[in-house]
Amino acid sequence: MLSGLIVGAICGAINNIIYGLTISPVSFIYGFTSVAIGLVVGMLAYSGWVKNIGRAVMLGIIASIVSAIHNAQN
């Protein structure tokens, strides 16, 4: 969120790749979800969605909806 949408997406992907290689291969599938969350949260944070507590809570709700939708498609 603090570094932007590209860095968030890359961090999510790398996290799931490392976890998939070391602990559980199933984690590779969830890498796409991490990328989607990184992109959405980074974009909304850049747009000013963390300026007050109400918008920050909405950002969290939006991130959880993106996660649920993306996981339902996998």
Side-chain angles (χ1 to χ4, degrees):
M1 176 178 79
L2 297 176
S3 296
L5 62 136
I6 301 298
V7 174
I10 291 171
C11 288
I14 289 173
N15 178 46
N16 283 91
I17 289 170
I18 291 171
Y19 190 75
L21 290 172
T22 58
I23 297 178
S24 173
V26 176
S27 183
F28 287 118
I29 302 297
Y30 294 106
F32 298 113
T33 302
S34 296
V35 169
I37 292 170
L39 290 172
V40 169
V41 170
M43 184 174 51
L44 290 176
Y46 182 76
S47 298
W49 279 72
V50 290
K51 290 186 178 182
N52 63 43
I53 190 72
R55 292 188 115 197
V57 169
M58 284 302 298
L59 186 139
I61 292 169
I62 291 169
S64 66
I65 291 170
V66 168
S67 175
I69 289 171
H70 200 274
N71 282 333
Q73 292 177 354
N74 287 334

